[in-house]
Amino acid sequence: DLIQLKRFLVAAEAGNLRRAAGLLHVSQPALTQSIKSLETLLGVELFERSARGVTLTSFGRALVPRARMMLNERERISRDLEELRPLVARVRRIA
């Protein structure tokens, strides 16, 4: 789920779930649940949790570039489709 990947990336960059939740405008429990769901789906722990925050596990570090790539691709798809919108509208008018 792209929302889970975005939340994972923000948490990874922030190094703190409370700070990440604020950046994402979600509650910390919602963010924690989203990350736990992603970890369950993938079958690995992505973060080591401590009183001082979170740090990425080796699995988490491996996921970061792939998650960025997927989110960047989603953005490219959205831009490409937006550029096609006027073309499709013109074709409809001609037909």
Side-chain angles (χ1 to χ4, degrees), residues 29-69:
L31 175 59
T32 299
Q33 182 56 44
S34 182
I35 289 171
K36 285 184 185 224
S37 293
L38 182 59
E39 290 175 325
T40 299
L41 176 69
L42 298 174
V44 297
E45 286 193 12
L46 300 170
F47 292 102
E48 292 178 7
R49 292 151 176 89
S50 72
R52 293 203 266 146
V54 292
T55 56
L56 289 167
T57 64
S58 58
F59 295 111
R61 286 190 301 276
L63 180 58
V64 166
R66 290 172 174 91
R68 278 195 185 118
M69 183 179 66

Side-chain angles (χ1 to χ4, degrees), residues 1-26:
D1 167 315
L2 294 174
I3 292 171
Q4 288 175 317
L5 288 176
K6 180 173 175 68
R7 289 177 176 182
F8 160 75
L9 281 176
V10 171
E13 291 166 359
N16 179 290
L17 294 181
R18 187 175 50 164
R19 189 176 318 126
L23 293 169
L24 291 163
H25 306 289
V26 299

